[in-house]
Amino acid sequence: MTQPVVTARNLSRHYESGGGMFSQRQVVRALSEASFSIDPGKTLAVVGESGCGKSTLARLITLIEEPTAGEFTICGTPGVPENWDSLRSQVQIVFQDPYGSLNLRHRVGSIIEEPLKIKRPDMPAAERASKAREMMEMVGLRPEHYDRFPHMFSGGQRQRIAIARALILEPKLLVLDEPVSALDLSIQSQVLNLLLDLQERMELAYLFISHDLSVVRHVADDVVVMYLGRPVERGSKEAVFGAPRHPYTVALLSATPSADPTRHRNRIKLEGELPSPLDIPAGCPFAPRCWKAQDRCRTERPELGDAAHAAACFYPEGTETA
Amino acid sequence: MALLNIRNLSVDFATGGGSFRAVDGVDVTVEAGEVLAIVGESGSGKSVSMLAAMGLLPWTATVTADELTFDGKDLRNLSPSARRKVIGRDVAMIFQEPMSSLNPCFTVGFQIREALAQHLNLDRAARKKRALELMEMVGIPAPEKRLNAFPHQLSGGMNQRVMIAMAIACGPKLLIADEPTTALDVTIQAQILDLLTGLQRDAGMGLILITHDMGVVAETAHRVAVQYAGWKVEDQPVKDLFQTPHHPYTAALLAALPERATERRLPTIPGVVPGQFDRPQGCLFSPRCAFADDRCRSTLPPVQPPELGRARCHYPLMAPATEEAQ
Ligand SMILES: Nc1ncnc2c1ncn2[C@@H]1O[C@H](COP(=O)(O)OP(=O)(O)OP(=O)(O)O)[C@@H](O)[C@H]1O
Ligand SMILES: Nc1ncnc2c1ncn2[C@@H]1O[C@H](COP(=O)(O)OP(=O)(O)O)[C@@H](O)[C@H]1O
Ligand code: SF4
Ligand SMILES: [Mg+2]
Ligand SMILES: [Mg+2]
C-alpha cells in the first residue's frame, strides 16, 4: 500500500479573542476535529461557505500555524514544529489572489527561484536559474518572461508564476486555496488543465480548497464538506455528489446554480444564515437551519465517524428507505 | 415600446496612455417585465455600459449613443435635475459590494427613509412605516430591531437585502443589479436571487442582471447579452443561447464550463482578452478564435440578424454547441 502524503487526525485550531478588562474572553472555533488523508496523485477537495475554516486548515497543513489540538503527518513525519524546517519543502501553497500573493518588485525569475535560495543556499546561481526556467516551461510561461515584472502579466499568468514557485522545491503536496476563483472562465479552464497535467506528471497530492462546486466536481477524487469549522461529510466525489447524505451538503448542492436553463429544479430553501463562529450552537451545528432537525439534534452532537462515506448527522439522507 | 432602449452606445475614457474605448457600439433593449442578463468576463464593459446609460460615469468618460431612451424619455439631453428624478425612482441600481454603497455612519433604517424622502412625498410617520414594510418584503428577520442597526453590524447577505429594499423603495420600473450576489455564499445567493426574481415578477418590473456566472444566467434570465472587450457579441433568449450559441466566443465560453466537461481536460480559449494597447484590427476575438481567417483579422464583423443571435461575427455558428464540442 502506498503511504499517504498527508494524514490528519482531529485537527483543531481555536483562537482566543477579547479577554480585556471589559470584554469577556471568547473562543473562535475556526476548525474542529478534521480528519482525512490524501494519497500521492490524488485530490482532496474541501468545500463550504465563507468562514467555515477552509483557509485555517490550509494554514495548519502548510506549517504556517500550529493546531491547538489533533495531529497530522506529512510523508509519514509528524507535522510538529521541530520538524517544520525539514517538512517545508514537501508542502507548498498557492493562494486565490494572483495579485496579492506575488512580490511585485521582483522579477519573475527571482520570484520563482526564491524558495531555492532559502532552502538550498549552496546551489549555484546558474543551476537555480536553469531550474526556474524548467519550471516556467512546465507551467506554460515563455523564456522571455524570466526578466519581467509580475504587474505585466494577466491574472492567469500570475497564477502560473505562483504555481511554478510552489513547485520548484518538488513538493509532494500542494495546497490550493481557491486557486481559480479570481480568474475569468476562459482562463480558469487553462489553469485547471495545467494543475491536472502537473499532478499526473509529478504524482502530486492536492488539497484543493474551493467554494465552487462545479470546479470541485471536475477535479476532486475525494471531498470534505465543512460547516462552521467542522467536517460534516466526507467521501469519494461520486458518493458525495451522487448521493449526498448530510442535509447541509444536499442544500449546498441544490443552491448551486446549474448552467442549464432547461433543468427543472427543486431548490431547498435554507432559512437563516450561518451563525457566528463565536456562538456555535450546542448539538449539531447545522440544526438551527436544518429542515430535518429533531430534539436530539439540538442537544447532542453527531460524530462524523470513519466510514468511507461518512456524514455527521443523526438522520442522514438516503436512510429513510434503507 | 421597450422600457429601456439603447442604440450604438460607446464609451471612451481619457487615460494617461490616451483614449480607451471601454464600450463599443452596444445595443440594449429591455421590455417591462423582462429579465435581461448581461454576461461577460471582467473588463468587458458590463458595468460601464449601464453606468453610462444612467449618466453615472465621471467626467473622464465620453459617452455617445444614437438612441438612449427610458420609458419614452430621451436620457441624453435631460437636465441633471430631471435625470435625478428618473434615476433612483423609476430606475434603481444595486451594486456588487453592498458595504461600499451603504453609508457606514448611518443606521440602515435612516438610509432607507432618506431614499424615500428623496423621491416620494411621504410624511415622517409614513416613511417609517414604509421602511418597515420594505425590510419585511426583502426578508429581513426582526425588521424593527434591524432598522436601528449599522451596516457593519449586519452580514453581507443582510446588507444586500437592505440595498435591495432601498432600490425598490420607490417602486422602480427597471432595476439594474450589478453582480448582486458575487460576494455572497451560494445558499445566500440563492435566497437573494429568489428575492429579486420574485419582486420582479410581482411588480412586473424590468430587471437587468449583470453577472459573470453562467449558472446564475441560466437560472434567472429570460434573455442574455454576451459582452466581449466592450462589444456585445451575442443576444439571444436564454434557452437558445445555451443550446445554440452563434458567436464562437459564446460557444467557447460554454464549452469551458467544468460542469459541461466530457473529459478531464477542459476545452480552453487560448490567449487573453485584448487590452488598451493590443486591440486587434478587424474582429476583437480573432486572435483567440478557432474560426478566424484573414477577413476576420482585417474587417470589422457585421451584426447578424436575430435568428443568428445578433452575433457580431463574419462566420456565425449554426450547429448546436454540443455537436461542436465532439
Ligand atoms: N487569527 C484568527 N483569529 C481569530 N479568528 C480567526 C483567525 N483566523 C480565522 N479566524 C476565524 O475562523 C473562521 C474560519 O476562517 P477561515 O479563514 O478558515 O475561513 P474560510 O473557510 O477560508 O473562509 P473563506 O471562504 O471566506 O476564505 C472564521 O470565522 C474566521 O473569522
Ligand atoms: N473610470 C474609469 N476610467 C478608465 N477606465 C475605466 C473606468 N471605469 C472602467 N474602466 C475600464 O473600462 C473597461 C470596462 O469596465 P467595466 O464595465 O467595469 O467591466 P465589467 O464588465 O467587469 O463590469 C475596463 O477595462 C475598465 O478598466
Ligand atoms: S469574426 Fe471571425 S474571428 Fe471574429 S468571432 Fe467570427 S469567426 Fe471568429
Ligand atoms: Mg479562505
Ligand atoms: Mg463590473
Side-chain angles (χ1 to χ4, degrees), chain B residues 46-47 178-179 210:
Chain B
K46 307 182 295 293
S47 303
D178 190 352
E179 310 257 8
I210 300 178

Side-chain angles (χ1 to χ4, degrees), chain A residues 33 40 61 85 102 123 135 138 166 201 241 283 322:
Chain A
E33 294 171 40
I61 298 296
D85 246 8
L102 298 175
M123 186 185 271
M135 281 300 144
M138 198 152 75
R201 244 193 296 170
F241 281 95

Side-chain angles (χ1 to χ4, degrees), chain B residues 40-48 51 95-96 178-179 210-212:
Chain B
E41 302 182 67
S42 70
S44 58
K46 307 182 295 293
S47 303
V48 168
L51 291 169
F95 299 95
Q96 172 169 356
D178 190 352
E179 310 257 8
I210 300 178
T211 177
H212 63 270

Side-chain angles (χ1 to χ4, degrees), chain A residues 168-181:
Chain A
I168 197 151
L169 293 173
E170 296 174 19
K172 298 282 185 297
L173 173 68
L174 207 52
V175 176
L176 300 148
D177 192 352
E178 304 273 8
V180 295
S181 304

Side-chain angles (χ1 to χ4, degrees), chain A residues 285-311:
Chain A
F286 187 58
R289 299 173 81 191
C290 183
W291 65 97
K292 297 178 111 182
Q294 308 287 315
D295 285 344
R296 182 180 177 199
C297 308
R298 286 179 270 269
T299 50
E300 198 183 329
R301 198 183 58 237
E303 297 292 334
L304 183 64
D306 285 324
H309 182 188

Side-chain angles (χ1 to χ4, degrees), chain A residues 178-199:
Chain A
E178 304 273 8
V180 295
S181 304
L183 303 178
D184 275 319
L185 191 53
S186 76
I187 306 301
Q188 174 180 298
S189 58
Q190 296 175 7
V191 174
L192 288 176
N193 284 351
L194 170 66
L195 289 171
L196 293 173
D197 281 340
L198 294 171
Q199 178 167 56

Side-chain angles (χ1 to χ4, degrees), chain B residues 279-301:
Chain B
R279 272 170 97 82
Q281 282 232 307
C283 172
L284 289 181
F285 189 55
S286 59
R288 306 177 73 189
C289 181
F291 307 96
D293 65 7
D294 287 343
R295 182 162 160 229
C296 303
R297 285 183 279 267
S298 57
T299 318
L300 284 175

